[in-house]
Amino acid sequence: MISGPLPDSVNFVECLENGTSLRGFVPLSRFPRFRGLLASERGNIDLTLHFEEVQAGIATVLGSACASVGLICQNCLELMTFKLAIDVNVRLVKTETELQALSPNVDGMVVESPKLSLTELLEDDLILVLPMAPKHEAPCSELARVTETDRRRPFADLSKLLLKREND
């Protein structure tokens, strides 16, 4: 088992032959498209991966990834922490033809060399799990503090003017 900080890429053929699993972390800084959607680039993706041979020469990557990332709440525009988790179940194939031959319910990835990029494996799924409009689960602190007296009521004096006009 490989643990601790994980490299940019792993030789999945060696991992498959040796029965090696990966458990560790990958810094957010290695995911350029994903980190561009975050409010903060600090942190890591915690990762557990295992490689299995499905057929001769065809491997599957199984595992999970999780992280706590900083996003901007769309209600109060303050920084919030979002916990994300994804399951990894990807078939590794050698050609586009093999990829197209996979069943529609099987995720696949073309890997031409024995080196598998962890960024390429995970980044799209990490992006897809982010909320479109992140919001705090509980009411935002800024919005919760607004009271009736703080609210602006632009037509509050209109009723007084209408009553005055009727009396004249």
Side-chain angles (χ1 to χ4, degrees):
M1 175 178 289
I2 299 174
S3 61
L6 296 174
D8 292 335
S9 60
V10 294
N11 187 328
F12 75 92
V13 175
E14 275 183 19
C15 291
L16 194 60
E17 290 171 353
N18 300 332
T20 304
S21 295
L22 304 175
R23 171 174 263 134
F25 62 90
V26 179
L28 285 173
S29 61
R30 289 198 200 151
F31 299 90
R33 292 182 300 128
F34 179 64
R35 76 170 186 240
L37 302 171
L38 305 177
S40 172
E41 294 182 15
R42 285 179 277 158
N44 298 310
I45 306 290
D46 295 319
L47 185 60
T48 302
L49 293 178
H50 176 72
F51 299 89
E52 292 182 1
E53 190 167 19
V54 180
Q55 298 171 357
I58 298 178
T60 296
V61 184
L62 300 168
S64 62
C66 62
S68 292
V69 296
L71 299 174
I72 300 296
C73 172
Q74 296 303 298
N75 279 341
C76 65
L77 300 179
E78 294 291 326
L79 182 66
M80 62 173 272
T81 301
F82 179 74
K83 293 182 181 181
L84 60 85
I86 60 170
D87 290 323
V88 179
N89 186 352
V90 179
R91 186 85 35 100
L92 304 176
V93 295
K94 296 176 184 170
T95 65
E96 286 288 331
T97 307
E98 290 176 350
L99 182 65
Q100 292 173 357
L102 292 175
S103 172
N105 61 346
V106 175
D107 287 336
M109 180 176 172
V110 176
V111 182
E112 295 172 351
S113 74
K115 291 284 188 181
L116 173 65
S117 167
L118 297 179
T119 302
E120 288 179 23
L121 177 67
L122 301 171
E123 191 164 35
D124 288 340
D125 288 334
L126 291 170
I127 291 170
L128 288 173
V129 78
L130 287 176
M132 207 168 203
K135 298 176 186 171
H136 287 104
E137 288 184 24
C140 298
S141 57
E142 189 67 33
L143 294 177
R145 285 188 276 182
V146 175
T147 62
E148 286 296 318
T149 57
D150 292 340
R151 293 188 185 190
R152 184 170 171 247
R153 301 196 177 273
F155 300 109
D157 292 333
L158 185 59
S159 63
K160 292 176 190 175
L161 287 173
L162 287 174
L163 286 174
K164 183 179 177 186
R165 190 172 187 192
E166 287 177 6
N167 291 338
D168 287 341

